[in-house]
Amino acid sequence: MNTQELFGQLIPIPPKITQYLQRLSRDIEPSQFSEIAKKAIAVWVVHRYLKRFDYQSDFRTSSAWNVAAQVLTDLADLEIFEDSRSLGIVECIPLAADAESLEIPQGSIIGDRIAYIAVEINPPQTWGKIVGFTPALETEYPEPSIDRQDLLECDRLLDLLELAEPLADPSRFAELESYWSGWGEWSAEARQAVVAQLEKALLLETKEPLQVESAAQELEALIAQSVADSERELAMREDPENESRQQLRSILRRLFESLRAAED
């Protein structure tokens, strides 16, 4: 491996990281500590990797670094920032070198995750690397297991975060917010879930109309989950020619056009 590959892939883990975790885990059963440490280190590796590209995060705020809470939860979340603006939350998942698939913790299959990142850590815990990632999962029928060969390469993670920057501007969602409010309550949580699904659609190799249709179907599922009126939900989802459904696709088409203009 040449120097450029080493810099791009391997993240040295300083002894102080594992030593600090050991101090935090004095009251934790030794049998539990190994898995807890792996998740906490995976979060730190993602934090350190993205720091190279001037993205900010605080690994200490992750659930994985609350060692006592890790006895009750399996989350390893990390919120990413650029210039103090949140780009979203990623889930950092340890992946063994011989593992054929990435197993996503059930508790992390929620709407606000923009990506699930696979992190390999060597047994001595002296280095880690990002193996790949999968963007936001489908909202209705999420796959908790992703084949290793289906993971996107780590450099595409930077593409994802570049998309996240313009999507972090709430003003871009004025038209979509107005549409959503006609069905149910628009909230910060709803916007996070929408951003995650839009980023997933934008990462598709095929451009419009597949991007628009993919995003529209995911957003319809999100809206349906938030709608209390079952008749309105059925009306929205059962009629493919429904005027409201076509309106959503028009809004998304304009939104994607504005995002492409921002990239240019």
Side-chain angles (χ1 to χ4, degrees):
M1 178 179 291
N2 61 37
T3 303
Q4 184 176 2
E5 288 174 331
L6 182 66
F7 178 80
Q9 296 184 19
L10 298 187
I11 308 294
I13 301 170
K16 65 180 181 181
I17 294 296
T18 51
Q19 291 167 1
Y20 180 61
L21 281 170
Q22 287 170 348
R23 289 198 299 273
L24 288 178
S25 64
R26 288 171 182 164
D27 298 328
I28 305 297
E29 291 290 334
S31 60
Q32 295 177 306
F33 176 69
S34 175
E35 291 304 312
I36 290 174
K38 285 180 185 177
K39 284 183 285 185
I41 292 172
V43 168
W44 184 87
V45 167
V46 174
H47 153 81
R48 188 66 187 86
Y49 174 78
L50 292 178
K51 188 176 181 181
R52 292 175 172 178
F53 302 97
D54 296 326
Y55 292 105
Q56 300 91 44
S57 58
D58 186 353
F59 64 92
R60 297 176 188 84
T61 64
S62 169
S63 301
W65 278 79
N66 185 340
V67 178
Q70 277 294 303
V71 177
L72 304 174
T73 182
D74 57 0
L75 299 182
D77 50 304
L78 182 67
E79 188 168 11
I80 311 300
F81 295 85
E82 184 174 47
D83 299 328
S84 301
R85 176 181 288 180
S86 176
L87 301 182
I89 298 172
V90 299
E91 190 74 19
C92 312
I93 307 172
L95 182 69
D98 59 352
E100 296 182 355
S101 61
L102 178 68
E103 305 301 325
I104 296 176
Q106 188 67 34
S108 72
I109 303 178
I110 51 182
D112 65 355
R113 297 295 192 267
I114 64 171
Y116 297 82
I117 304 175
V119 182
E120 182 183 338
I121 303 163
N122 70 333
Q125 297 182 341
T126 55
W127 59 258
K129 69 176 181 179
I130 295 178
V131 177
F133 76 100
T134 186
L137 302 180
E138 292 183 5
T139 54
E140 274 200 296
Y141 306 107
E143 286 287 346
S145 180
I146 309 295
D147 288 346
R148 191 186 190 110
Q149 63 184 13
D150 292 335
L151 295 173
L152 298 179
E153 296 181 359
C154 64
D155 58 348
R156 297 290 307 279
L157 181 59
L158 302 179
D159 294 336
L160 176 70
L161 294 178
E162 286 182 13
L163 292 169
E165 195 279 329
L167 282 170
D169 181 356
S171 66
R172 290 188 181 275
F173 294 92
E175 194 176 10
L176 184 58
E177 178 181 353
S178 176
Y179 173 88
W180 187 295
S181 298
W183 292 95
E185 182 182 358
W186 176 266
S187 63
E189 292 75 15
R191 190 178 72 83
Q192 284 182 325
V194 167
V195 167
Q197 297 304 325
L198 291 178
E199 288 168 341
K200 176 184 175 183
L202 285 164
L203 278 176
L204 291 172
E205 294 291 345
T206 306
K207 303 299 182 183
E208 286 199 45
L210 183 58
Q211 286 180 334
V212 169
E213 186 59 31
S214 173
Q217 291 183 18
E218 294 294 340
L219 265 58
E220 284 173 347
L222 285 170
I223 293 172
Q225 291 169 12
S226 67
V227 172
D229 187 333
S230 59
E231 290 185 4
R232 296 186 75 192
E233 175 185 342
L234 288 172
M236 178 181 185
R237 300 178 63 187
E238 288 187 348
D239 181 4
E241 301 302 323
N242 184 282
E243 182 179 345
S244 180
R245 299 188 74 194
Q246 297 309 312
Q247 181 186 0
L248 174 60
R249 283 152 178 79
S250 296
I251 291 171
L252 290 173
R253 197 171 294 112
R254 288 190 290 273
L255 178 56
F256 283 176
E257 288 173 356
S258 74
L259 291 170
R260 280 192 284 273
E263 290 179 18
D264 297 338

